Amino acid sequence: MAMTETRPGPAAGTTADTPRRAKNFTSRVLIPYSMLAPGIILFLVFMAAPIIYTLVLSFQKKKVSGLGLGKGSQSTAFAGLDNYVSALTDPEFLGSVLRVLTYGLILIPLMLGFALLFALLLDSRRTRAGSFSRTAIFLPYAVPAVISSLLWGFLYLPGVSPFHFLARQFGMELPSLLDPNLVTFAICNIALWGGVGFNMIVMYTSLKAVPSEIYEAAKLDGCSEIQTAIRIKIPIIAPSLVMTALFSMIATLQVFAEPTTLRPLANSLSTSWSPLMLVYRDAFTRNDVFSAAATSIVIALATFIISFLFLRIVQKRAFGQEN
Amino acid sequence: MRKSFRAGAVAMLAAATMLAAGCSAGSTAGSQSAATSDPNQKVELTYWAWAPNLDKVVELWNEKNPNIHVTVNKQDGGDPAVTKLLTAVKAGSGAPDLIQAEYQKIPTLVAADALADLSGTVANDTKSHFPDGVWNDVTLGGDTLYSVPQDTGPMVFYYRADIFEKLGIAVPKTWEEYAAAAKTVHAADPEAYLGTFSSNDAGWFTGMAQQAGASWWGVDGDAWNVKIAEDPTEKVAGFWGGLVEEGVIDNKPMYTPEWNTALNTGKQVGWLSAAWGPGVLEGNAGATAGMWKAAPMPQWDASKPATGNWGGSSTAVTSQSKNLDAAAKFATWLNTDPEAIKALVKEAGIYPADTAGAESSLTEAPAFFSNQPDFYKIVGEAAQNVGSFTYGPNVNVAYNAYNDQFAKAAQSKQKSAFLDAVKNMQQVTVDDLKKTGFTVK
């Protein structure tokens, strides 16, 4: 035990030591743990307990006898790994995972690319109206996803969209973004609109933390603005690029509000479009909380593994200079 | 030190686990039988409902019955209320005495043991007040009474009388005439449609299948059967699929901003909907007041008029209520007493399930249909022709399958895809029953 090495005074057990031990107990155990207690209790009640309960649920299933009507005809039974097997072999689940991967492959590079571009532009010496632009780019992040999806939904629907109206005035017919082959882009666009600002602020903040002597030195060495951006600024803020990429990946895996809000507007989105929509449908539309629990555990594990692998791969390069 | 922390953590985890286990254990021990109470004792009842202004109707009851006081607890709608009730039943406490339950939710609620049996109470004597099809919904075809019918949604055909007149179209009496009218409307204006096939509204499609004679579930001894992929439903799906494939009926969902605009601008010329339709039209297409008329639904067989039902709800007593008799008394009054029905019509704007009550309280056409004084005569006749339809224990799954399958079909605009969608709905519904452990024949 680590504590025995640091404990002062003679070995425990002698009579003269007793009051000191009591005092020790108060100052070393009672006070720190009572101060930690709120945190520990909140963690247990709102994190650990729900996670354990979800695990318990995921190994159960509903059992029905006869018509399943009336008292006692339905009970819960141990399901073993059944829920996990059916989650992992469900074509709907695999389909939703594939859709979200496609969505992420389109969204993340665009979102981080724009965020970085805007951050570098705002940070460059020749920028005018910087604080206004910063606020304007950041503002969409303050709009809840449900609201922004409704707003964009109105703009997408050909019957009410001003874009389609204008195009028709010029005798053109725009394709509907809510068609099945374009709807992924429609959702990407909403996420992009809402997400670029946040990522830009994170990158911009870390650019501001870079000491200006470095730029002065670069300037003396004859670096142009673009060269400074590519050779100095981007490598220096690599840790925040990694962090925003990680946040974006997790957010992508958890996409829910945008497709759920757009779904009733068109025929192109199913109720199992994304993995979380599938979980929601199983739990609340189909009243099958057990399958939903198993799928949630699978998604949580996958998110964890993907984040972990991603950090392993990029960490050395991004944080290398700090060690 | 570390050790003591570990011990503490283990103890806390154990406590948390027990807490979680306690939640699930409650479901078996929670529901004891509702005790009958002394009639002179003052009773407090809670009532979860979402119909607008229901509290004003309940106020009438509270004035007259000081011993049975009812408090309305306003809910967001049918789905959230049911989810909340199912959670309360699982937890073993927290359910109200009464709940507004949609007909298609009753088997789900019964399966979860959420509803009390009313067959031993005054509510059992109300059978003669309601059409047989509606009574079937609240008894599931057996002797147990689970709920007292409140309102129904007999379906009718709403159409723009002015546009019909301009185009010289007669009101379609059969579906064949409906198809012909759809072609005329679309030919006159390529942006206009007589209607749309909505993959969002499973209840709407159910009503049309019901009109054609479908009843999607059935009880066969100790087993359920599912009869979605059968002739009546296939006929309806094929009919609409054909019209969508031809392009004379729109394929976009209802209740979207686009649909509202089309109703307002005369690009949606008709709407197959229920008795509660005027309220929706008034809200979504206020500019068209006085231009619409209601007619009976087009028929498959004009000699045997039939109608479907879209929506409607009932008043049920939950299995956790300790005042079964008092609650049943209130539910009976609310849905069969002439004064209560009048108030329901006036305050909540519903179409009463009580046949006599509907006739006496619905005398004047809704303001939006002031051009059609006999509005409620047409709706009332339709209400008499509602066929009987049995809902099963997994209506939610079937409805969800409708959304997903018919969204694909509507998008593809192919009649064959509509027929496939019916087959897939059947498959998903049967698979779900089997997976849960129901016996399916």
Side-chain angles (χ1 to χ4, degrees), chain B residues 381-395:
Chain B
E381 277 163 21
Q384 291 306 305
N385 299 329
V386 173
S388 156
F389 189 98
T390 306
Y391 291 105
N394 64 343
V395 176

Side-chain angles (χ1 to χ4, degrees), chain B residues 5 23 84 110 242 340:
Chain B
F5 167 71
C23 286
K84 263 169 80 179
V110 171

Side-chain angles (χ1 to χ4, degrees), chain A residues 200-320:
Chain A
M200 178 206 67
I201 289 289
V202 173
M203 295 175 191
Y204 179 73
T205 314
S206 70
L207 277 174
K208 280 285 148 211
V210 177
S212 56
E213 300 91 79
I214 298 182
Y215 298 146
E216 279 159 26
K219 208 175 157 196
L220 285 175
D221 285 347
C223 264
S224 69
E225 279 273 327
I226 292 174
Q227 279 172 322
T228 318
I230 293 173
R231 301 200 175 185
I232 296 173
K233 290 184 179 178
I234 295 180
I236 284 182
I237 63 161
S240 66
L241 287 179
V242 170
M243 198 180 77
T244 48
L246 189 68
F247 284 168
S248 306
M249 278 165 62
I250 294 174
T252 301
L253 291 171
Q254 297 180 347
V255 61
F256 177 78
E258 293 89 351
T260 305
T261 315
L262 285 184
R263 198 195 63 77
L265 299 181
N267 289 318
S268 48
L269 293 163
S270 67
T271 52
S272 55
W273 190 84
S274 79
L276 282 201
M277 287 172 79
L278 183 80
V279 170
Y280 179 85
R281 183 198 73 180
D282 283 347
F284 298 108
T285 314
R286 293 193 168 178
N287 281 335
D288 183 2
V289 71
F290 308 111
S291 301
T295 316
S296 314
I297 299 273
V298 170
I299 296 171
L301 281 179
T303 310
F304 181 74
I305 292 170
I306 292 176
S307 315
F308 182 74
L309 285 180
F310 174 76
L311 282 180
R312 274 296 286 270
I313 293 167
V314 298
Q315 208 166 24
K316 268 217 184 92
R317 299 188 56 173
F319 300 104

Side-chain angles (χ1 to χ4, degrees), chain A:
Chain A
M1 292 283 119
M3 288 319 298
T4 41
E5 295 155 16
T6 52
R7 176 173 294 170
T14 56
T15 41
D17 194 34
T18 317
R20 197 165 178 179
R21 278 190 69 196
K23 201 180 160 201
N24 248 346
F25 180 78
T26 311
S27 65
R28 290 189 176 278
V29 180
L30 221 53
I31 292 175
Y33 279 103
S34 60
M35 286 175 147
L36 280 173
I40 293 175
I41 290 171
L42 285 174
F43 172 78
L44 287 175
V45 173
F46 293 107
M47 285 293 292
I51 290 173
I52 292 168
Y53 188 48
T54 309
L55 266 172
V56 170
L57 284 177
S58 72
F59 289 105
Q60 290 182 333
K61 66 180 173 192
K62 195 157 74 176
K63 217 179 108 199
V64 172
S65 54
L67 285 175
L69 301 177
K71 200 183 289 292
S73 60
Q74 299 202 356
S75 53
T76 49
F78 183 67
L81 289 171
D82 285 2
N83 292 330
Y84 288 95
V85 172
S86 56
L88 289 171
T89 53
D90 180 8
E92 279 191 286
F93 179 62
L94 300 178
S96 72
V97 169
L98 276 181
R99 276 189 291 269
V100 161
L101 286 182
T102 320
Y103 164 78
L105 281 179
I106 302 170
L107 174 67
I108 297 174
L110 281 176
M111 183 149 76
L112 296 184
F114 276 119
L116 182 60
L117 179 69
F118 290 143
L120 289 171
L121 286 177
L122 283 175
D123 191 55
S124 94
R125 266 172 288 138
R126 274 184 284 174
T127 303
R128 298 284 174 273
S131 63
F132 169 77
S133 316
R134 205 168 59 228
T135 315
I137 298 169
F138 183 71
L139 208 56
Y141 179 69
V143 179
V146 173
I147 310 284
S148 64
S149 305
L150 277 176
L151 290 172
W152 280 103
F154 271 71
L155 296 176
Y156 290 155
L157 280 174
V160 288
S161 162
F163 300 123
H164 287 259
F165 174 78
L166 281 177
R168 258 182 308 231
Q169 303 305 306
F170 293 104
M172 286 185 297
E173 195 57 53
L174 294 176
S176 169
L177 269 178
L178 293 174
D179 276 353
N181 44 353
L182 293 177
V183 76
T184 308
F185 293 98
I187 298 170
C188 278
N189 179 48
I190 301 173
L192 201 59
W193 183 77
V196 164
F198 170 77
N199 290 304
M200 178 206 67
I201 289 289
V202 173
M203 295 175 191
Y204 179 73
T205 314
S206 70
L207 277 174
K208 280 285 148 211
V210 177
S212 56
E213 300 91 79
I214 298 182
Y215 298 146
E216 279 159 26
K219 208 175 157 196
L220 285 175
D221 285 347
C223 264
S224 69
E225 279 273 327
I226 292 174
Q227 279 172 322
T228 318
I230 293 173
R231 301 200 175 185
I232 296 173
K233 290 184 179 178
I234 295 180
I236 284 182
I237 63 161
S240 66
L241 287 179
V242 170
M243 198 180 77
T244 48
L246 189 68
F247 284 168
S248 306
M249 278 165 62
I250 294 174
T252 301
L253 291 171
Q254 297 180 347
V255 61
F256 177 78
E258 293 89 351
T260 305
T261 315
L262 285 184
R263 198 195 63 77
L265 299 181
N267 289 318
S268 48
L269 293 163
S270 67
T271 52
S272 55
W273 190 84
S274 79
L276 282 201
M277 287 172 79
L278 183 80
V279 170
Y280 179 85
R281 183 198 73 180
D282 283 347
F284 298 108
T285 314
R286 293 193 168 178
N287 281 335
D288 183 2
V289 71
F290 308 111
S291 301
T295 316
S296 314
I297 299 273
V298 170
I299 296 171
L301 281 179
T303 310
F304 181 74
I305 292 170
I306 292 176
S307 315
F308 182 74
L309 285 180
F310 174 76
L311 282 180
R312 274 296 286 270
I313 293 167
V314 298
Q315 208 166 24
K316 268 217 184 92
R317 299 188 56 173
F319 300 104
Q321 69 267 38
E322 285 178 9
N323 301 335

